[in-house]
Amino acid sequence: MYSGFWKRLCAYILDGIILYVASVILGSVFTMFEYLLMIPFALKSTQSTTSIVWVALGARGLLIVVTGWLYFAIMESSKWKATLGKLATGSVVVDERNERISFARASGRYWSKLISVCTLYVGFIMAGFTEKKQALHDKIAKTYVVDKNALEMQANGYTNVRQI
């Protein structure tokens, strides 16, 4: 019933592609506004322009981080219980009662992925070796990534749902 490492990796790659496309689009729109805002300052002094460039770079980085967080947290706490990548691979994120997780729990799950990154991705690799296929961020947030079809079969009363 639990989604394994390779299925989760495929979903994460698909989500990465989706977020990349979204960041290119948002970045293009943001760049247009940057140039419009910098024109009056560029005519006055180069020092002001340099300051605005640094602020714009910081704002762009913040935009990328917030976009990723909101994408994962909103999608995983929605009625679909999954990001677009997870939906494409047939997986959903649930709590210990196989129910939808809250936005706060989804946010905690997202931000705890930073710990997995800091441990040289060992936290992600754990999903291939733990009994319930949980990565470190799943254990921290007390969540599970499960096969959507198996979850629906179990909800409909089928008791002999095999491990996926």
Side-chain angles (χ1 to χ4, degrees):
M1 174 164 154
Y2 302 104
S3 292
F5 175 80
W6 295 109
K7 196 173 189 181
R8 292 175 66 150
L9 179 63
C10 289
Y12 199 71
I13 290 169
L14 290 171
D15 288 327
I17 293 168
I18 291 165
L19 283 171
Y20 175 77
V21 170
S23 69
V24 167
I25 293 168
L26 289 172
S28 298
V29 170
F30 195 79
T31 300
M32 289 189 316
F33 285 114
E34 283 176 5
Y35 286 123
L36 290 173
L37 291 173
M38 283 192 340
I39 290 171
F41 292 104
L43 298 174
K44 291 184 181 177
S45 83
T46 56
Q47 187 176 8
S48 296
T49 304
T50 305
S51 300
I52 289 176
V53 168
W54 281 109
V55 168
L57 286 173
R60 183 179 297 222
L62 183 64
L63 179 68
I64 290 169
V65 169
V66 168
T67 301
W69 162 54
L70 290 176
Y71 170 73
F72 280 95
I74 290 171
M75 291 296 292
E76 290 175 351
S77 64
S78 72
K79 67 179 180 179
W80 298 292
K81 304 178 197 172
T83 60
L84 296 175
K86 284 185 186 70
L87 287 173
T89 60
S91 301
V92 293
V93 180
V94 295
D95 64 9
E96 55 274 352
R97 294 182 311 240
N98 289 335
E99 295 176 0
R100 182 173 72 169
I101 61 174
S102 67
F103 179 79
R105 186 175 283 194
S107 294
R109 183 176 188 273
Y110 176 79
W111 291 112
S112 58
K113 289 178 185 178
L114 290 174
I115 299 169
S116 293
V117 171
C118 292
T119 60
L120 302 175
Y121 296 91
V122 171
F124 291 108
I125 296 169
M126 284 175 56
F129 300 101
T130 58
E131 180 185 347
K132 295 181 180 179
K133 308 294 184 198
Q134 287 179 291
L136 182 59
H137 55 275
D138 292 311
K139 287 190 170 286
I140 292 170
K142 296 180 181 161
T143 59
Y144 304 90
V145 180
V146 298
D147 184 81
K148 183 180 179 184
N149 293 331
L151 184 67
E152 288 172 354
M153 286 175 61
Q154 191 177 42
N156 290 330
Y158 292 98
T159 55
N160 192 15
V161 179
R162 67 176 177 88
Q163 288 287 100
I164 295 183

